[in-house]
Amino acid sequence: MKQFTPLNPNFRQRVQDSFKRQEFMNYISASLAVIEPGYCEIHVPYRDELTQQHGFFHGGVIGTVADNCAGYAAFSLMDARDSVLSVEFKLNLIAPGDGKLLISRGKVIRPGRTLTVCQMDVFVVKNRSEKQCATALATIMALKGKSDTRPIS
């Protein structure tokens, strides 16, 4: 994996704080497992509420976790005054999300001043074995000088 130097030495705390503010991540019981410069790993334990009609992880949950993984991989390299927003992502579901744990691993392929390209691979764990269920590419935008917190309404 490429070695990146974060612009903010406090990048791990910023990523953790931002992740905690995402109510949907809390709702699906997602957790940040790994945060490195240009890399993020998110885990989601199986729950019936996160499945489709066959009992597999729903594609929407798989896509959500892939998108968040890309965002936080990119965010880890951004300046302390910047925020992050997905511009686009393409998800290929390559196998059913049949497992007890969903793992998304996202890495920066090319960082940029405004746009960063990331690759994500999503796996399911069943009987202690990982199987890839999706792969994705995303473009993430740095929102220069924009706070990462919600405005007070």
Side-chain angles (χ1 to χ4, degrees):
M1 186 166 72
K2 283 184 183 178
Q3 297 295 319
F4 294 107
T5 303
L7 296 175
N8 178 5
N10 194 27
F11 72 93
R12 279 188 185 88
Q13 189 63 53
R14 277 195 86 219
V15 168
Q16 289 170 344
D17 291 347
S18 177
F19 187 85
K20 287 176 188 171
R21 288 191 296 273
Q22 286 203 15
E23 292 296 329
F24 192 66
M25 290 294 98
N26 182 51
Y27 179 76
I28 65 172
S29 303
S31 62
L32 278 170
V34 181
I35 308 164
E36 296 296 336
Y39 180 84
C40 177
E41 188 172 306
I42 297 174
H43 293 187
V44 178
Y46 181 91
R47 288 191 356 236
D48 286 337
E49 299 87 356
L50 304 179
T51 63
Q52 43 82 290
Q53 71 276 14
H54 300 290
F56 306 144
F57 277 100
H58 192 281
V61 174
I62 293 169
T64 295
V65 180
D67 176 45
N68 265 271
C69 223
Y72 286 122
F75 193 49
S76 72
L77 300 179
M78 292 181 186
D79 187 271
R81 296 166 298 208
D82 297 343
S83 187
V84 63
L85 189 64
S86 296
V87 174
E88 63 83 31
F89 79 99
K90 179 188 184 335
L91 177 75
N92 287 79
L93 298 166
I94 58 177
D98 183 16
K100 294 300 177 190
L101 179 67
L102 192 66
I103 299 173
S104 181
R105 296 182 178 116
K107 65 181 179 181
V108 170
I109 295 174
R110 185 187 178 282
R113 284 178 300 189
T114 304
L115 299 177
T116 296
V117 177
C118 299
Q119 176 186 343
M120 299 77 66
D121 291 308
V122 185
F123 302 84
V124 284
V125 179
K126 185 175 184 178
N127 300 325
R128 295 188 203 130
S129 179
E130 281 188 19
K131 180 178 180 180
Q132 189 170 7
C133 65
T135 189
L137 283 174
T139 305
I140 307 297
M141 176 189 290
L143 299 173
K144 300 293 184 185
K146 179 151 176 66
S147 172
D148 186 51
T149 59
R150 287 182 193 188
I152 297 172
S153 44

